[in-house]
Amino acid sequence: MRADLGDLNAFLAVARAGGFRGAARTSGMSASALSEAVRRLEARLGVRLLHRTTRSVAPTEAGARLIERLGPALGEVEAALDLMNTFRDHPSGTLRLNVPTVAARVVLPSILPGFMAAYPDIKVEVVVEDGFVDILASGCDAGIRYEERLEQDMIAVPIGPRTQRAAAAAAPAYLDRCGRPTHPRDLLNHACLTGRFASGVTTDCWEFERDGEVIRIQVQGPLVVSLGAGVDLMIDMAVAGCGVISLFEDWLRPYFESGALEPVLQDWWQPFSGPFLYYPGRRLVPPPLRAFLDFIRTGGAGA
């Protein structure tokens, strides 16, 4: 037989205070509400729990036995609820994120160090996958994807740079040997390094934009790599002078700064909107994810 937790607390308050008025002063409930709660509990249990007189209230034998068992039990419940308060006020646990390779490379490195320093009791697990995944089925709390790959029933929060560009580049030695393109169509005469998603879709259609003009070029070249784990090889091959590469500008910036790669057709680099952190909106947000959302919303560590 189940009893309402509120009714049990009301009964215990009245018994401890020795009356309904005294319990009302300490519990924040009215005397009439307490009386109704005790009557409801007695009706559900089928036994009288309190002797009532005009001047005092005292437990019956059944009531005394219930108090004896109820006090420690409700104390455990309160301790459990206090533990939940600790999770809320000082979040701990595990935050599981599902992100594409580019997010692991150019988005999270500027965010996670500050977040982990601010929340040392939260462990972060990052699953790197370039295909679209069901984050709930994969056991993750949230994911990072670009706008065109977000599910409609997800809550999306901007994360990382709000505008990015697709950059084209090649090694100076390759450009000295094969010439520097001045127009996107010049790439038809160049070796271009491309990738393939797990779905089989290839990245051999490069898009450029300048002054409102958009040009799409179907490129060809000697190398196709699996996107994700194979991108490092594609960059290494570009640095080695094997052809032209097209990738996120932020990803290639260190190679521009070192001189290993030279920007190509920079006036034609096409901008696009940055990534989003997304999560299901139909359930309570776990404390580690809530802490992460608050961190990026307040601009934590360059988020």
Side-chain angles (χ1 to χ4, degrees), residues 17 22 28 34 43 55 68 87 92 114 131 157 165 217 230 234 296:
L34 288 165
R55 286 181 292 184
E68 182 182 336
F87 269 88
S92 62
V157 178
R165 292 194 299 176
I217 302 296
M234 183 165 62
I296 64 174

Side-chain angles (χ1 to χ4, degrees), residues 80-225:
L81 295 178
D82 285 341
L83 178 61
M84 295 303 100
N85 289 335
T86 300
F87 269 88
R88 184 183 66 247
D89 300 334
H90 304 283
S92 62
T94 301
L95 172 65
R96 297 178 178 87
L97 301 175
N98 188 292
V99 308
T101 305
V102 63
R105 285 281 186 160
V106 303
V107 177
L108 291 182
S110 65
I111 298 174
L112 285 186
F115 174 73
M116 294 172 72
Y119 297 96
D121 294 328
I122 295 179
K123 176 182 179 182
V124 181
E125 291 185 9
V126 179
V127 179
V128 181
E129 292 184 283
D130 285 286
F132 183 79
V133 298
D134 183 331
I135 58 172
L136 290 180
S138 68
C140 292
D141 300 301
I144 296 177
R145 290 296 186 275
Y146 285 81
E147 193 169 6
E148 69 275 9
R149 307 199 74 184
L150 294 177
E151 290 189 35
Q152 296 301 311
D153 61 346
M154 294 287 173
I155 295 177
V157 178
I159 186 173
R162 297 324 310 139
T163 302
Q164 295 180 282
R165 292 194 299 176
Y174 171 86
L175 296 173
D176 290 342
R177 186 173 71 250
C178 300
R180 287 166 172 77
T182 59
H183 190 279
R185 293 191 186 91
D186 293 342
L187 293 175
L188 295 173
N189 299 316
H190 281 266
C192 296
L193 312 178
T194 59
R196 178 181 286 113
F197 290 101
S199 63
V201 175
T202 57
T203 61
D204 55 1
C205 182
W206 293 3
E207 196 165 290
F208 297 88
E209 181 179 353
R210 187 176 70 178
D211 299 330
E213 180 185 6
V214 176
I215 295 179
R216 296 176 180 85
I217 302 296
Q218 197 74 31
V219 300
Q220 295 183 343
L223 178 71
V224 180
V225 303

Side-chain angles (χ1 to χ4, degrees), residues 5 20 25 58 83 160 175-176 179 212 242 254:
L5 188 60
F20 291 96
R25 286 192 295 269
L83 178 61
L175 296 173
D176 290 342
C242 296

